[in-house]
Amino acid sequence: VPVDDPEAPAFIEYSRQWCKALTKEHIRDGLAAFFPSSLDPGFRDYLIRQFLLELREYYEIMQQMDVQLIASSLLFVYDADLDRRRAFFDGDVSNDEGSETSQSASDNEQTPLLDMRAIDFAHSQWKKDDATMAGYLLGLENLIKLFEDFGANGPSP
């Protein structure tokens, strides 16, 4: 998992093994790595709030689905590029030369700074299974709570 820490000279790579080894006691370390304290605090807060909105919406949808999910993954992606972020928040979509085609500007304005996707549905079936889904929904509830706590308390020191 590559993370762009503004204070690091290059992307910081976290291995799949490191991510999978995160325990309940250390999951905040994973969020702190994904949202490094060197990110602009306002931008970090924005990302966490937006991901919380996505998670809550996904949770609401999954409560209504007739699907059996044993496990899946959630992919969280954000664009930490400072120029791109400024363009998004300020509405300024010019490039370094100061001009850009209207089509490129339009594309840039419509490209989101973040996205959350549910992936890895290898063990899923389209049938109602309340017991299995209860565990899946509990996992989502715990993740929502984790993001809420992380957003309220900031990253780990």
Side-chain angles (χ1 to χ4, degrees):
V1 175
V3 175
D4 185 13
D5 185 335
E7 292 183 352
F11 285 106
I12 299 172
E13 288 282 339
Y14 293 93
S15 71
R16 181 174 221 153
Q17 291 76 20
W18 183 86
C19 295
K20 285 185 167 191
L22 290 172
T23 62
K24 180 180 177 182
E25 293 77 26
H26 296 101
I27 195 69
R28 279 184 60 88
D29 296 339
L31 283 179
F34 190 66
F35 301 110
S37 59
S38 57
L39 273 179
D40 173 81
F43 182 56
R44 187 177 53 246
D45 291 345
Y46 168 79
L47 291 171
I48 293 167
R49 282 193 319 270
Q50 291 303 116
F51 281 132
L52 264 169
L53 290 172
E54 295 278 333
L55 280 166
R56 289 176 181 139
E57 183 178 343
Y58 180 67
Y59 177 82
E60 294 297 320
I61 291 169
M62 294 313 296
Q63 284 185 308
Q64 308 303 317
M65 297 294 291
D66 288 334
V67 64
Q68 175 188 0
L69 292 177
I70 299 183
S72 73
S73 298
L74 294 175
L75 174 67
F76 296 88
V77 182
Y78 67 87
D79 189 344
D81 179 72
L82 184 58
D83 292 333
R84 170 86 170 82
R85 193 167 68 226
R86 284 182 184 145
F88 180 84
F89 286 110
D90 298 339
D92 175 18
V93 290
S94 61
N95 63 15
D96 292 339
E97 288 79 38
S99 66
E100 197 170 60
T101 66
S102 61
Q103 180 62 41
S104 296
S106 176
D107 290 346
N108 198 15
E109 288 175 346
Q110 294 177 11
T111 304
L113 282 178
L114 61 95
D115 197 8
M116 183 195 91
R117 300 283 170 118
I119 60 172
D120 300 334
F121 292 103
H123 302 289
S124 303
Q125 299 177 21
W126 288 105
K127 70 177 189 176
K128 188 75 168 172
D129 182 341
D130 291 334
T132 302
M133 280 307 290
Y136 189 81
L137 292 172
L138 177 62
L140 286 174
E141 291 168 9
N142 289 334
L143 186 58
I144 290 168
K145 177 76 171 127
L146 180 66
F147 265 77
E148 288 171 343
D149 291 347
F150 187 79
N153 300 318
S156 300

